[in-house]
Amino acid sequence: MIDTTASLFTMKSQKINLSRLAILIGISLIVLWIAFDYFKKSGMLPQSNEIFNGQLINQTENTVSRRDSIVNYGMELLGTPYVSAGTDKNGFDCSGFIYHVFKHFKIEVPRSSPQYKNFGKEVPIENVKKGDIIVFLSPTSNVIGHLGIVTNPKGMESEFIHSTSGREMKVVISSLKVEGYKLRFVKAISVIN
């Protein structure tokens, strides 16, 4: 009879221990969930992914892939007509194109070309990266008058996307190798952290 009582006591003891263990695991999971939620909301953990233009983009992406995203979005606008003072997909002027593309990524840039004279962080043309902005003089006067976004960085042979009022009258890709752009080149700037 003593053995049976001892057995029952051991079984009850194990049930109590298992119950306590289950409670501790439950409390631990709740604490972990609360901590996870706190860190996620505070921005200390990566956020969920989002779909952008049919591609999965990680919201914690580094500046290199952000630069690619900016260029890719600009490329989607190739062929959009040049429209004086235009800032939307119906048509752009050069600064309206830059303004629209960067606004899409919640990056504030000036609306007009002359405002780029002292804007952004100047980058040596040899160190230019995708997504940097190239600043040019106006073709008719000695003031800032044209802008483009670097698509293929190669120093003074870099390619850039821009809305031109020239012969094409639309968003196109050009190169700094072209004499007209090379002569008007002022500087390259970065506005991407």
Side-chain angles (χ1 to χ4, degrees), residues 46-173:
Q47 302 296 309
S48 60
N49 293 328
E50 65 179 349
I51 300 294
F52 173 72
N53 216 19
Q55 294 180 336
L56 189 63
I57 304 288
N58 186 331
Q59 291 177 345
T60 59
E61 64 192 354
N62 61 30
T63 56
V64 173
S65 61
R66 187 172 193 199
R67 289 173 179 276
D68 287 335
S69 297
I70 287 167
V71 169
N72 291 341
Y73 181 68
M75 298 288 235
E76 289 178 24
L77 302 169
L78 278 169
T80 303
Y82 178 89
V83 172
S84 182
T87 61
D88 60 34
K89 292 181 180 182
N90 294 319
F92 302 105
D93 63 11
C94 71
S95 57
F97 173 71
I98 304 296
Y99 180 80
H100 177 83
V101 170
F102 283 91
K103 182 180 176 188
H104 184 80
F105 293 91
K106 297 178 176 55
I107 299 172
E108 290 186 38
V109 296
R111 171 55 193 95
S112 69
S113 302
Q115 294 173 314
Y116 283 82
K117 181 177 181 179
N118 298 310
F119 183 77
K121 177 185 172 194
E122 190 165 348
V123 177
I125 193 63
E126 299 79 29
N127 299 335
V128 76
K129 297 178 184 168
K130 271 186 176 183
D132 286 341
I133 298 172
I134 300 182
V135 179
F136 299 94
L137 291 175
S138 164
T140 57
S141 60
N142 198 24
V143 296
I144 304 295
H146 193 64
L147 309 164
I149 300 172
V150 174
T151 58
N152 187 8
K154 295 188 286 188
M156 280 307 286
E157 294 186 353
S158 294
E159 294 174 354
F160 58 98
I161 188 168
H162 60 123
S163 183
T164 179
S165 61
R167 185 185 65 223
E168 296 101 336
M169 293 287 292
K170 61 185 176 183
V171 175
V172 297
I173 295 176

